Amino acid sequence: MAKQSSAIDEQPGVDKDAPLKEDIRLLGRLLGDVLREQEGEEVFAVVETIRQTAVRFRREADAGAAKELDGMLKILTREQTISVVRAFSYFSHLANIAEDQHHIRRRRAHLLAGSRPQQGSVNFALCKLKDAGVDRQTVSTFFQDALIAPVLTAHPTEVQRKSILDAEHDIARLLAERDLPLTPKERAANMHLLRARVATLWQTRMLRYSKLSVADEIENALSYYRITFLRELPGLYDDIEGDIAAHYPAAGDPADGAPADAERADGAPAAGDPAAPYIQMGSWIGGDRDGNPNVNAGTMRHALARHATTILDFYLDEAHALGAELSVSTLMVACSPALQVLADTSPDTSDHRSDEPYRRALIGIYARLASTARALGATNILRKEVGHAEPYAGAAGFAADLQVLIDSLEANHGGMLVKPRLSTLKRAADIFGFHLASLDMRQSSDIHERVLAELFAKGGAQADYAALDEDAKVALLLAELAQPRLLYSPYIAYSEETDSELAILRAAREIRARYGARAIRNYIISHTETVSDLLEVLLLQKEMGLLRLATAADGAELDLMVIPLFETIPDLQRAADIMQAVMALPLVKQLIARQGQIQEVMLGYSDSNKDGGFLTSNWELYKAETHLVTVFADAGVKLRLFHGRGGTVGRGGGPSYEAILAQPQGTVNGQIRLTEQGEIIASKFSNADIGRRNLELLVAATLEASLMPQSADAAHQAELAGFEAVMADISALAYQAYRNLVYETPGFTDYFFAATPIAEIAELNLGSRPASRKSTKRIEDLRAIPWGFSWGQCRLLLPGWYGFGSAIGAWIAAGPREARIAQLRAMHRQWPFFATLLSNMDMVLAKTDLAIASRYAELVADQELRERIFKRITDEHASTLEILQSITGAGERLAGNPLLARSIQNRFAYLDPLNHLQVELIKRHRAQSNQAGKVDERVHRGIHLSINGVAAGLRNTG
C-alpha cells in the first residue's frame, strides 16, 4: 500500500515519523542486499556486528564494549576496512535522502491540512505583518527595493562529488515516487530501479583522487542551478506574488473582484511586481582569490563563460519547448501587431507555419539566443537554429521579446497559455539575465598594499608606500585618486603578483562589457583594518578604468562597489569607526550617491570565532552591526550587510530563518547577502523542493525582520540595554576562557594536531584552496574552515560552545545567584539574539559526544598532555550543560525541537562506527608514516572515506 501524504497525518495519535522510519529501513535493507551481493556475507556480518557493538558502547559507555570494539577493528583486513567504512558512509547519505523526503512530505501534509500558514513561509510573514497593521504599499515598496542574495562559495571542506550527487538525486526521486498511488507492477519497477541506483552508488567512487580545480568547483556549483535555482526561483516569485495578492488585494486583482487585466488607478506597480529581482544569486567561485593562488583572470573569464552557457542552454531548451506548445493560429485568433513583427523578422519562412506567429517568433528568438550563446562562449549548441539571427545586445532585449508574446496572448484570449512555461521563462530572464549569478571578487588587503607600493615606487610617486603611517597613506591615496593621470605604464616591467592583480581588474572590466553590469559588481577586501585598505582598491580600480573621475558634466563613477570584510574581533570592534571615516570623504560620498545611497559591509563569522570563541564572536558581531546602523543612519546611507556564515554553528551556521530574525534592529531593511558554504549547499539545494523551501525561508525572514514593527517604548529599550550590559560582561569572561585554552595553554596546538584528523583533512582532495594560509602548525595560520571541520570530525565541536559554561558560571558567582539566573532566563525568553545563541549551542551540544571524543584523545601520545587538556574540555562541557539547563529548564538536548533531536539520535547508529573506524585508521596511518615514511594508500583512502561519511552524518562540515 502506498504511503499517502495527507491531512490524516495531522491527526493525534498518528506516528508522523513512521514513513521516515519505513524509508530508512527500506534504503538500509537495499544497501545491505547490495553489500551481501557485492562484498559477501562475511563483510555484511562484520558491518552488523560493528554497528551493534557501537550501539552498546553508546548506551553503556563501558570499558568492555570499547575494548571489544577496539579489538574488532584492529583485526579487520585493509579490504574489509574499506568496505565497512563505505557501508556506514553510504548509509549516512541514504538516511539524509530519506530525511529530506520526509521534510517534503510533512510540509505537504501541513499544506493539505489547510491549517494556519507554516512558520518560515512568506504567507506566515504576511499574516503577521497584516495583523500588525503593515499596509500594502509598504509591502510593495519592500519588494521593489529589496535585495536578498544567497552567495555560493567553494571551500576546503567541500566533500561531495557531483557523480554522487547525481546518483543520490535519482534515489530521492524514486523514493518520492513511492508516496504516489502505484500499481503492483509500477511498485515493483520502482523497487528494481531503487536497488539499481543503490548498487550504482556502491560502485561509484566516493572520493576524488586528483586535486579539485577551480573549474571543477564551478561545475559543481552549476549543478545546483540545474537542479534547483533555474526553475524554483521563478516559481517562488509566482507563489509570493499569489500570497501578496491574497493578503493585500489591490484594485484589479482577482481577489478584489475586479477584472484580472484592469489597470491600476494610481499607475503604480502592484505589490510583488518589483522593478528589479529581489532575489539574485551570487558566487565566489572563480573570483575569490584570497589565499587561493589558483584563482586569476582566467578563472574569472571561465566562470562567466560557464555561467552564460548554463543559463543560455536553459533558455534555448525552454524556447524550443514553447515553440512546440504555442501552436496558436491566426486563423483561429488574432495576435498583436508587435507579435506579428517578431514573427515576420524570424528566419523561419516555412509556408506550413505562416499562420502560426508565436511559433515563428519563438524560432526567431531561438536563433537570436543561439547567436548570443556563441558570442558569449558556448561551443556546443544541441539543436541548430533554422537560420541566422543577430545576437541580443543584452538580456533586456530577450525579456522584452518574451513580454511581447505574453502581452499578445493576454490581449487575445490566451492568458491561460502564459503559465507555467512562458511566464517562468520571462521571470528567469529577469532574474538570471545572461550572467546567471553575480561573481564577487575578493582579495586580501595586504596584497593590495604590495601592488600599490610597487606602482607608487615605479611611477616615481612614493618610494616606500608600505612604510607610511595611516594618515600619510590616506593623504597620498586621496591625492592620487584626484589625479587624471595613471601610475601604471604598459612600458614598465612589474612583478608577477602585480601583473596578475592588474590583469584580474582588466578582466573584470571586460566581463562587465561582455555579460552586463550585474556579472561583476562587488569587490570584497579581506582583513580590512584601516580606511586606506578601502582607498587602495578605489585607486586600483581607477588604474584599470573601473573608476572614472568626476567631470564638469558628471560625477565620479565606480563600477565595483568596494566592500570591507571585518573578520577578527579587533576588526569588528573598529568596523563602525572605519566606515564613519571613509563615508565622510567627499569622493566616497559621491560614489555612494551614485550607488543609490547604499553601501555594503561584510562580516566574517569564521575568523572571529577562531579568534575569540563562539560567544564573544556572536556578541562582537552583534555590537558591530548595531554601531554600523548608527553610523550609517547619521551619514544618510542605507546599510546592506553581507554575512559570511559557514556550515557549523562555530562559523555562524545554524538555521538561517532564526538567524535573520535575531539580527539587531535596523540591520536588515530589505537588504541582505549571505554565503552558502560546503555541505550546506548540498543539504539545502540538492533537492528542488527543499531548495525552494530554503529560498522562501530567506525571503520570509528578511520580510519579517525588515517590516515588523519594533517596540520603541522606554521600558523595552531599558530592558534591552540591561540585557546587552550582561552580555558584554559574559563575553569578556568567555573570551578569556577560550583564548586561555586555545592560544595560551602550553601544548594545546600539539593536542589539536594529534587528537583531530586535521593533518589528514589537509591531504584530502576537497577543494582548490589550501587548508592553511602558511606552511606552519600555528593555529593562527590555519584557516577557520578546516579548524571547525576537524573539531566536528572528532565529535567535540569545540568552536560551537567552549567558554560558555565557565563564563556564565563566573558571572553568576560574582553576584546574587538567583537574581542573575532569573536575568539570564528573562534574556532567553525576551531577547531573540540570546535565544538563538542558546538554540544553536543546544544543537551543537546534541551532536557532541565525549565518549567518541575520548577515542580521538587516545591519539595523543603524551599522556600528561592528553589528560590535562581533555579534562579541561570535559569540565567545560559539564559546566556548559549545567548552565544551559539552569537557563532553559530543559534537561535534554533539543527539547524544543523534537524532530531534530530524533534525527540526530537516529544517526548515531551509523555515525559512531565511522568515528571508531576513523580513529583506528588514523592510528595505522600515523604509525606507518612514522616507521617507514610510506603511506598505505588503502588506509589513506579509508580515512578519507570516513571523513566523508562523518560529514554527511553530521550534515555540516566547516
Side-chain angles (χ1 to χ4, degrees):
M1 182 75 179
K3 300 186 296 296
Q4 295 296 309
S5 299
S6 68
I8 195 170
D9 291 340
E10 299 295 330
Q11 294 176 1
V14 173
D15 183 0
K16 298 171 185 177
D17 287 341
L20 170 61
K21 295 171 186 173
E22 182 182 333
D23 285 345
I24 289 177
R25 280 194 296 268
L26 170 64
L27 293 175
R29 187 171 69 250
L30 290 176
L31 181 62
D33 291 345
V34 169
L35 190 61
R36 278 195 187 95
E37 177 187 303
Q38 306 276 329
E39 306 296 327
E41 192 68 42
E42 183 182 354
V43 171
F44 175 80
V46 168
V47 168
E48 270 301 291
T49 304
I50 290 172
R51 185 187 66 81
Q52 291 167 9
T53 309
V55 169
R56 199 166 88 249
F57 174 81
R58 164 166 291 282
R59 287 177 181 163
E60 301 168 11
D62 66 354
K67 189 174 180 181
E68 183 181 342
L69 190 60
D70 199 42
M72 201 181 307
L73 298 177
K74 280 181 178 176
I75 61 172
L76 288 178
T77 66
R78 292 179 303 176
E79 290 75 14
Q80 285 177 327
T81 302
I82 295 294
S83 295
V84 171
V85 172
R86 292 184 72 224
F88 284 113
S89 295
Y90 276 128
F91 194 77
S92 291
H93 287 255
L94 293 172
N96 287 346
I97 294 169
E99 195 166 278
D100 286 345
Q101 174 56 25
H102 191 58
H103 284 313
I104 296 167
R105 181 185 294 124
R106 295 298 314 138
R107 179 166 166 74
R108 284 187 57 79
H110 183 91
L111 294 172
L112 288 168
S115 53
R116 183 175 171 83
Q118 192 172 17
Q119 185 175 14
S121 67
V122 170
N123 203 4
F124 179 85
L126 290 169
C127 280
K128 287 187 69 175
L129 293 173
K130 192 167 185 180
D131 290 346
V134 177
D135 62 24
R136 182 186 64 79
Q137 188 55 49
T138 301
V139 172
S140 176
T141 301
F142 169 88
F143 281 104
Q144 289 167 32
D145 296 341
L147 175 63
I148 303 162
V151 181
L152 305 191
T153 73
H155 274 286
T157 59
E158 182 74 52
V159 300
Q160 288 275 46
R161 282 188 69 214
K162 184 177 180 301
S163 300
I164 299 295
L165 285 173
D166 290 344
E168 291 178 359
H169 186 256
D170 275 351
I171 292 170
R173 177 182 55 79
L174 290 164
L175 198 62
E177 194 177 272
R178 295 179 68 79
D179 280 351
L180 303 172
L182 300 176
T183 66
K185 283 187 177 181
E186 289 170 338
R187 185 158 291 274
N190 174 279
M191 181 66 78
H192 173 80
L193 286 173
L194 261 179
R195 192 183 304 274
R197 294 298 176 267
V198 172
T200 300
L201 200 61
W202 183 259
Q203 294 181 5
T204 299
R205 174 168 47 84
M206 185 180 279
L207 299 178
R208 304 178 184 96
Y209 290 146
S210 58
K211 187 72 175 174
L212 197 67
S213 70
V214 177
D216 294 328
E217 290 173 334
I218 290 166
E219 292 307 314
N220 279 356
L222 290 175
S223 67
Y224 297 104
Y225 284 86
R226 299 182 189 101
I227 293 168
T228 296
F229 299 122
L230 295 182
R231 295 190 185 279
E232 298 307 320
L233 257 182
L236 178 59
Y237 271 72
D238 288 343
D239 287 351
I240 292 172
E241 192 176 81
D243 289 340
I244 295 169
H247 286 281
Y248 294 97
D253 286 347
D256 199 43
D261 57 353
E263 187 175 337
R264 280 278 306 279
D266 58 4
D273 288 345
Y278 51 87
I279 312 176
Q280 298 181 34
M281 297 303 300
S283 175
W284 276 15
I285 309 171
D288 176 17
R289 58 196 193 281
D290 177 22
N292 192 343
N294 302 304
V295 174
N296 51 42
T299 62
M300 285 173 54
R301 291 190 181 96
H302 179 74
L304 263 298
R306 292 301 301 139
H307 286 190
T309 298
T310 299
I311 190 59
L312 283 159
D313 281 348
F314 175 74
Y315 293 158
L316 286 163
D317 286 345
E318 293 300 290
H320 177 76
L322 274 171
E325 291 174 8
L326 293 181
S327 55
V328 178
S329 169
T330 50
L331 298 177
M332 308 297 170
V333 65
C335 70
S336 71
L339 188 278
Q340 190 62 55
V341 169
L342 264 187
D344 291 343
T345 55
S346 167
D348 179 27
T349 58
S350 171
D351 291 339
H352 298 296
R353 288 183 290 274
S354 60
D355 64 325
E356 295 175 342
Y358 292 95
R359 278 183 166 166
R360 290 170 57 213
L362 282 160
I363 287 169
I365 289 171
Y366 185 96
R368 294 194 70 185
L369 284 172
S371 292
T372 305
R374 291 190 187 92
L376 296 182
T379 57
N380 184 25
I381 294 172
L382 186 60
R383 299 180 188 89
K384 184 168 174 57
E385 61 272 35
V386 168
H388 175 73
E390 289 299 311
Y392 285 106
F398 170 51
D401 282 354
L402 294 176
Q403 191 63 50
V404 169
L405 271 71
I406 293 169
D407 292 343
S408 180
L409 286 168
E410 290 182 341
N412 293 282
H413 311 290
M416 70 287 294
L417 305 180
V418 172
K419 287 188 177 181
R421 194 182 301 276
L422 180 53
S423 61
T424 297
L425 183 56
K426 169 61 169 61
R427 192 86 76 174
D430 293 335
I431 297 169
F432 301 113
F434 289 155
H435 67 288
L436 184 68
S438 294
L439 182 67
D440 284 359
M441 301 171 67
R442 183 171 76 132
Q443 183 55 288
S444 179
S445 58
D446 57 332
I447 305 291
H448 302 141
E449 183 180 79
R450 289 203 297 267
V451 170
L452 274 174
E454 184 173 3
L455 289 177
F456 277 128
K458 292 191 174 180
Q462 172 56 242
D464 193 356
Y465 170 74
L468 299 177
D469 63 27
E470 174 63 9
D471 289 343
K473 283 182 180 177
V474 169
L476 177 61
L477 291 165
L478 289 173
E480 195 60 44
L481 280 164
Q483 291 284 350
R485 58 130 176 92
L486 301 177
L487 290 168
Y488 171 79
S489 169
Y491 306 107
I492 296 176
Y494 297 99
S495 66
E496 183 179 347
E497 180 178 70
T498 295
D499 279 339
S500 176
E501 290 299 307
L502 297 179
I504 284 166
L505 288 163
R506 283 191 213 99
R509 189 182 67 228
E510 294 163 11
I511 286 167
R512 285 173 57 86
R514 189 175 191 188
Y515 299 97
R518 283 170 58 193
I520 296 182
R521 51 186 175 177
N522 300 311
Y523 194 118
I524 297 157
I525 308 168
S526 297
H527 312 118
T528 301
E529 299 172 346
T530 60
V531 170
S532 63
D533 289 338
L534 283 85
L535 297 180
E536 285 168 357
V537 176
L538 289 178
L539 182 52
L540 287 171
Q541 288 201 57
K542 171 180 171 272
E543 291 294 315
M544 293 296 107
L546 293 161
L547 167 60
R548 292 164 293 283
L549 298 180
T551 64
D554 214 346
E557 189 175 3
L558 180 68
D559 287 348
L560 307 179
M561 183 187 286
V562 177
I563 300 169
L565 167 52
F566 300 106
E567 300 173 271
T568 65
I569 301 298
D571 292 346
L572 290 168
Q573 292 169 343
R574 288 192 294 262
D577 289 342
I578 290 172
M579 293 311 299
Q580 183 176 44
V582 79
M583 290 191 299
L585 298 172
L587 172 62
V588 175
K589 282 184 176 180
Q590 285 182 41
L591 297 175
I592 289 175
R594 291 297 294 264
Q595 291 168 183
Q597 212 57 26
I598 189 168
Q599 174 62 43
E600 186 170 301
V601 173
M602 185 172 183
L603 302 176
Y605 289 64
S606 310
D607 284 282
S608 60
N609 179 280
K610 187 165 77 76
D611 186 29
F614 165 69
L615 195 147
T616 298
S617 169
N618 277 274
W619 174 237
E620 291 298 338
L621 284 159
Y622 178 95
K623 284 201 306 178
E625 291 181 38
T626 56
H627 294 158
L628 285 167
V629 167
T630 301
V631 164
F632 273 65
D634 290 345
V637 177
K638 191 168 188 177
L639 170 66
R640 177 165 65 227
L641 286 174
F642 184 6
H643 299 270
R645 306 171 75 235
T648 57
V649 168
R651 293 191 49 241
S656 298
Y657 178 78
E658 287 81 358
I660 293 172
L661 291 181
Q663 294 299 302
Q665 186 175 348
T667 59
V668 181
N669 288 332
Q671 301 284 321
I672 190 167
R673 296 209 304 149
L674 68 167
T675 55
E676 300 286 8
Q677 303 179 359
E679 295 309 283
I680 297 304
I681 298 174
S683 66
K684 284 186 175 181
F685 302 118
S686 60
N687 178 290
D689 290 312
I690 296 286
R692 184 187 288 208
R693 170 65 172 160
N694 278 296
L695 290 167
E696 184 176 7
L697 285 168
L698 291 180
V699 179
T702 306
L703 176 63
E704 190 175 334
S706 301
L707 300 187
M708 196 68 186
Q710 301 290 325
S711 175
D713 65 86
H716 173 80
Q717 295 303 318
E719 181 182 60
L720 180 60
F723 291 166
E724 291 175 344
V726 171
M727 195 67 202
D729 291 343
I730 293 170
S731 172
L733 294 166
Y735 182 77
Q736 291 172 7
Y738 174 84
R739 296 282 304 185
N740 181 261
L741 174 73
V742 174
Y743 295 103
E744 298 166 8
T745 298
F748 180 82
T749 300
D750 294 333
Y751 178 92
F752 169 68
F753 274 87
T756 74
I758 179 62
E760 289 73 21
I761 287 167
E763 299 166 1
L764 186 51
N765 293 311
L766 292 172
S768 68
R769 184 190 304 273
S772 186
R773 288 188 169 93
K774 299 176 183 177
S775 298
T776 72
K777 289 184 72 172
R778 295 174 72 245
I779 289 173
E780 290 88 340
D781 295 329
L782 186 69
R783 290 190 178 280
I785 301 156
W787 161 259
F789 189 60
S790 301
W791 288 114
Q793 287 285 310
C794 72
R795 300 286 289 281
L796 270 177
L797 294 95
L798 182 140
W801 58 269
Y802 193 90
F804 179 87
S806 57
I808 293 191
W811 181 79
I812 291 172
R817 176 178 175 80
E818 294 306 317
R820 292 205 161 189
I821 291 176
Q823 173 80 324
L824 292 167
R825 288 172 178 166
M827 290 165 65
H828 178 244
R829 285 193 310 271
Q830 299 166 31
W831 191 17
F833 167 78
F834 193 65
T836 301
L837 187 86
L838 266 57
S839 174
N840 285 338
M841 188 175 68
D842 189 26
M843 179 180 67
V844 170
L845 291 167
K847 295 181 179 183
T848 301
D849 191 299
L850 292 185
I852 297 290
S854 70
R855 301 294 312 280
Y856 285 85
E858 293 169 8
L859 295 168
V860 181
D862 185 331
Q863 183 179 351
E864 186 277 330
L865 177 66
R866 176 175 70 239
E867 292 176 353
R868 173 165 53 89
I869 292 187
F870 192 68
K871 184 178 187 305
R872 283 190 62 178
I873 292 171
T874 55
D875 287 350
E876 180 67 20
H877 184 265
S879 172
T880 296
L881 290 177
E882 181 185 350
I883 294 292
L884 183 61
Q885 181 175 351
S886 69
I887 297 171
T888 65
E892 298 293 325
R893 300 283 58 76
L894 295 172
N897 192 344
L899 182 63
L900 181 58
R902 288 194 299 272
S903 167
I904 292 172
Q905 188 65 36
N906 289 339
R907 294 169 186 276
F908 289 146
Y910 48 88
L911 188 56
D912 291 356
L914 280 169
N915 284 115
H916 291 294
L917 283 158
Q918 188 179 95
V919 171
E920 173 60 29
L921 288 164
I922 289 173
K923 285 179 183 175
R924 295 184 193 180
H925 174 64
R926 292 178 182 176
Q928 290 165 355
S929 299
N930 290 337
Q931 289 171 7
K934 292 183 179 180
V935 174
D936 185 326
E937 284 304 321
R938 284 186 173 271
V939 172
H940 203 237
R941 185 154 66 99
I943 293 171
H944 293 176
L945 285 165
S946 71
I947 289 171
N948 185 295
V950 171
L954 291 174
R955 297 218 80 167
N956 52 26
T957 55

